[in-house]
Amino acid sequence: MANLVHIPEVKAKARIAPIEIFPDPKIAVVLTYQSAGKPVEPIVAVGDSVTIGQKIADSKERVCAPVHSPICGKIIKIEDAFNSCNDTNSQAIYIENDGKKTKDKTLTPISEAELNKTSNDVLIKRIREAGIIGLGGAGFPTSVKLSPPADKPIKNLIVNATEGEPYDTADERLLIEKTANLLKGVKVLRKLLGNPKVYIATKVSKAEAIPKLQEIFGNEPDTEVIAGHYTYQQGDASVLQKAILGYETPPGTRSYEMGTIVQNVATINAIANAVFEGEPLISRVVALNGDIENPKNLLVKIGTPIKDIIEANNIDISQMSRVVVSGVLMGHSVPSLDTPVNKRTSSIIVFNKKNVLKPSTACIHCSACISSCPVRLHPILIYNAITKGKFDKAEKLFMNDCIGCGTCSYVCPSRLPLSSTIIASRQ
């Protein structure tokens, strides 16, 4: 059994900061490729006017998610921008804000009273058309995830409210401030999945959230709120499933085949917004944390340049060494502050010049990465195979079962980029 490493949380200030609405950007930079599915293509052109929530890119592929305009304005260009989803440049649609606040009305709200009368096909189509993907980091299109084969009944729904990343607090604030909305989202999921048993899994450190969850979910049938001493690694769906249900998904198998769906808190909140408010995924809560005086949680329009957020919060750019998005363990350093917020941007973490990355050195054969891997892989052996171009060997070492948690890199005394190298080689 792997030794699940405890990684200290840096959340004391951020977790008590209520969600603030961040102003709309003057120029929104909306990446067309934000999901873990197939790329989508623009369905607008330079010079077109768009409204808030209007679909601007899509594809006929099943495993994909459309993207929408977060603001009302005009398309001024379509060109590449840095995409932190895959740590490279990809296509983006640039929209100039005209300040008119005109909203697209394609998605009509469904009332709570209408939910049980609404067909699952209509609900799945709504989730798909709203562009919802897994907001916990994986980015898989949610409409596909919630459409398991008919011969694979879902017995358990695990609401992943653990938020293990040491600086991230966006989900925690949703648990506190949007608890009732989360219940509405869970009701949608229960209908779609055939009324499975529900486990709300969170950490004992989320002291303000736990009583809110118990209050709102306490009288729901077949629903259990579990507050555990979970480690960071147990924020991963497969590892959390084992912690809650006592079994793990075999290699090459998905959790739905074992009768379980794990869904992130932010995703469930977005589902409720799409179904009951008619709102596509055009904004998300982002934690602003790190070496800054006032950590915050911000409701940010997708496409907002990170520079806008840094400058609005009076953070001294000259004292920054790097900015990491979507978690210090599973995220990426951005090469430019012009990088836009995307659907998978859970956090923006600023480090000052006192926190400079030290260079890597040679492996000292300590095996710390092996003993700490939560899925019992041999990270250094996979890393060596990849760096030598032996990808067949890396696959035989179960490279594709790596969950990308970054624990191996965290414990490595030689500071080797083990996790990022393995994940990058699979793209």
Side-chain angles (χ1 to χ4, degrees):
M1 178 65 184
N3 175 29
L4 294 182
V5 176
H6 172 69
I7 298 175
E9 293 183 339
V10 187
K11 303 187 181 191
K13 291 184 178 180
R15 70 178 2 139
I16 62 173
I19 298 169
E20 300 177 18
I21 299 175
F22 190 78
D24 290 355
K26 294 180 180 178
I27 304 290
V29 184
V30 185
L31 296 158
T32 59
Y33 190 27
Q34 300 187 47
S35 78
K38 299 290 185 180
V40 295
E41 296 296 330
I43 55 175
V44 292
V46 174
D48 287 355
S49 294
V50 293
T51 53
I52 298 171
Q54 178 180 331
K55 185 163 63 173
I56 56 176
D58 202 354
S59 167
K60 294 182 179 179
E61 295 284 348
R62 177 174 179 264
V63 186
C64 72
V67 295
H68 303 76
S69 175
I71 57 176
C72 181
K74 181 177 289 187
I75 310 295
I76 56 173
K77 61 180 177 179
I78 298 175
E79 62 180 43
D80 285 358
F82 182 75
N83 188 340
S84 60
C85 294
N86 49 22
D87 203 22
T88 188
N89 287 347
S90 68
Q91 185 185 60
I93 300 171
Y94 290 70
I95 309 167
E96 185 175 37
N97 197 335
D98 62 13
K100 292 182 179 179
K101 303 285 186 180
T102 307
K103 292 185 178 181
D104 181 80
K105 297 180 180 180
T106 301
L107 303 181
T108 56
I110 297 170
S111 71
E112 290 185 70
E114 294 173 315
L115 178 60
N116 289 333
K117 300 176 185 178
T118 305
S119 72
N120 284 1
D121 287 344
V122 168
L123 291 173
I124 288 293
K125 184 178 179 181
R126 166 60 57 88
I127 291 168
R128 194 266 173 201
E129 287 302 302
I132 298 174
I133 63 174
L135 300 181
F140 191 75
T142 304
S143 60
V144 180
K145 184 174 183 177
L146 296 179
S147 304
D151 63 344
K152 303 292 183 184
I154 302 302
K155 301 175 183 177
N156 305 296
L157 168 65
I158 299 177
V159 176
N160 191 344
T162 57
E163 194 172 36
E165 276 280 355
Y167 286 81
D168 287 17
T169 54
D171 283 2
E172 186 165 355
R173 291 313 305 179
L174 288 174
L175 294 175
I176 296 166
E177 300 182 43
K178 301 293 182 180
T179 327
N181 205 46
L182 295 175
L183 174 58
K184 290 162 66 174
V186 167
K187 287 182 177 179
V188 174
L189 296 182
R190 293 191 88 160
K191 183 180 188 308
L192 290 172
L193 300 174
N195 203 32
K197 181 175 175 62
V198 177
Y199 300 89
I200 316 291
T202 192
K203 299 174 73 173
V204 293
S205 60
K206 302 188 190 305
E208 188 178 354
I210 293 169
K212 293 280 291 184
L213 292 170
Q214 291 170 336
E215 175 191 354
I216 299 297
F217 286 92
N219 294 322
E220 290 298 303
D222 291 321
T223 300
E224 185 176 352
V225 177
I226 302 174
H229 291 275
Y230 300 119
T231 65
Y232 154 70
Q233 298 83 2
Q234 287 168 315
D236 174 79
S238 61
V239 186
L240 182 61
Q241 174 186 296
K242 184 176 181 180
I244 299 294
L245 303 175
Y247 66 85
E248 57 186 314
T249 304
T253 306
R254 296 194 177 275
S255 61
Y256 73 81
E257 298 178 70
M258 307 291 288
T260 299
I261 293 285
V262 181
Q263 199 72 74
N264 164 264
V265 165
T267 311
I268 295 173
N269 186 63
I271 289 170
N273 291 341
V275 172
F276 300 111
E277 305 296 333
E279 181 181 307
L281 184 53
I282 58 172
S283 63
R284 66 158 298 151
V285 180
V286 177
L288 178 64
N289 204 351
D291 297 330
I292 59 176
E293 186 175 350
N294 296 305
K296 295 182 177 181
N297 297 284
L298 303 169
L299 181 63
V300 179
K301 286 290 181 69
I302 290 162
T304 301
I306 290 174
K307 187 176 182 180
D308 290 6
I309 299 170
I310 297 295
E311 291 181 344
N313 285 279
N314 299 314
I315 298 171
D316 188 351
I317 295 175
S318 68
Q319 295 303 309
M320 291 165 37
S321 64
R322 67 191 187 282
V323 173
V324 178
V325 297
S326 305
V328 292
L329 287 159
M330 298 185 72
H332 300 276
S333 293
V334 297
S336 167
L337 295 181
D338 293 327
T339 300
V341 169
N342 62 64
K343 296 179 183 182
R344 294 154 76 176
T345 307
S346 60
S347 58
I348 299 169
I349 304 147
V350 179
F351 292 102
N352 61 29
K353 291 183 177 179
K354 296 178 182 178
N355 271 313
V356 178
L357 287 174
K358 296 180 180 179
S360 301
T361 59
C363 173
I364 62 172
H365 306 287
C366 67
S367 76
C369 62
I370 297 172
S371 61
S372 66
C373 177
V375 290
R376 301 187 298 280
L377 301 181
H378 291 65
I380 186 60
L381 300 184
I382 300 172
Y383 173 84
N384 287 339
I386 292 169
T387 55
K388 293 175 182 177
K390 298 180 179 180
F391 294 98
D392 288 346
K393 182 178 180 180
E395 290 184 5
K396 290 178 181 177
L397 290 166
F398 300 98
M399 170 182 71
N400 293 320
D401 288 325
C402 170
I403 62 174
C405 67
T407 304
C408 54
S409 301
Y410 178 81
V411 301
C412 178
S414 299
R415 297 174 295 279
L416 293 170
L418 301 170
S419 179
S420 60
T421 300
I422 294 170
I423 295 301
S425 69
R426 302 191 321 200
Q427 294 177 351

